[in-house]
Amino acid sequence: WDECEWYGFEKCNEDGLLTKFVILKNQNGVGNTPHGNGLDGTLPDEFGYLTSLEELQIDRNPLLVSNIPSSFRNLKRLRKLSLAFNNLQEPWHEGLLDDMNDLVGLYLGWNDFNMTLPVDISRRTTLMSLDLGGNRIHGNIPQEYGQLSSLSE
């Protein structure tokens, strides 16, 4: 089996290691369904083993009720993390993004987060795009968010 030809595996590097995993609503061609690709349950911890990933995008799956597994902190090469329009919830694992030094896009909008803004997001000074809209974010904006000088979206 060539894993790089599996559904959702969009790009592999020259060593055959997965660098881009994308599942979007109706990517499978089934038509317009209210449940996206029908993903339900939780995000598997095993995504943390895909340490060559540069882009992870799993969007528009409202039956995906989960937190972001702490194993995601192993995805140190991520440049884009998009988990929008799912049903993700806290807890947010503080330090989750600490080793994602190349992260430029973080899209977590339209989930079910009910929390204050995580301070570790502010340490990703490479971020150019950040979407947390449509969640129940409350409290003050941490002063550290002023360090996000590269944000343009």
Side-chain angles (χ1 to χ4, degrees):
W1 291 90
D2 184 359
E3 292 87 356
C4 291
E5 295 179 12
W6 291 357
Y7 176 72
F9 289 25
E10 289 207 357
K11 186 177 177 185
C12 291
N13 64 19
E14 61 277 352
D15 296 324
L17 298 173
L18 182 66
T19 59
K20 183 176 181 181
F21 183 89
V22 176
I23 293 182
L24 297 172
K25 181 177 181 182
N26 304 318
Q27 179 179 330
N28 57 14
V30 171
N32 193 12
T33 67
H35 303 299
N37 285 294
L39 296 181
D40 62 16
T42 61
L43 287 170
D45 286 328
E46 287 78 9
F47 271 113
Y49 299 136
L50 301 173
T51 56
S52 295
L53 273 182
E54 296 172 5
E55 182 174 339
L56 177 59
Q57 185 171 0
I58 302 173
D59 293 339
R60 300 188 183 274
N61 293 284
L63 299 178
L64 190 61
V65 179
S66 180
N67 65 357
I68 301 173
S70 61
S71 65
F72 275 41
R73 72 184 64 211
N74 297 329
L75 303 176
K76 298 175 183 179
R77 295 183 181 182
L78 273 186
R79 296 184 49 76
K80 177 181 179 182
L81 176 60
S82 182
L83 301 171
F85 294 96
N86 293 302
N87 197 3
L88 301 181
Q89 304 167 352
E90 61 282 340
W92 178 270
H93 302 284
E94 191 63 38
L96 184 70
L97 307 176
D98 279 355
D99 292 324
M100 296 182 190
N101 295 323
D102 297 324
L103 194 65
V104 294
L106 180 61
Y107 308 92
L108 301 175
W110 306 99
N111 281 288
D112 195 26
F113 289 114
N114 182 9
M115 62 185 185
T116 59
L117 285 170
V119 175
D120 64 332
I121 290 176
S122 68
R123 292 191 288 266
R124 296 291 44 91
T125 56
T126 55
L127 272 180
M128 297 170 62
S129 185
L130 173 64
D131 180 9
L132 298 171
N135 289 294
R136 292 177 285 157
I137 306 293
H138 52 83
N140 295 323
I141 298 173
Q143 183 177 352
E144 293 86 351
Y145 274 65
Q147 299 172 41
L148 296 174
S149 59
S150 297
L151 274 183
S152 58
E153 295 183 23

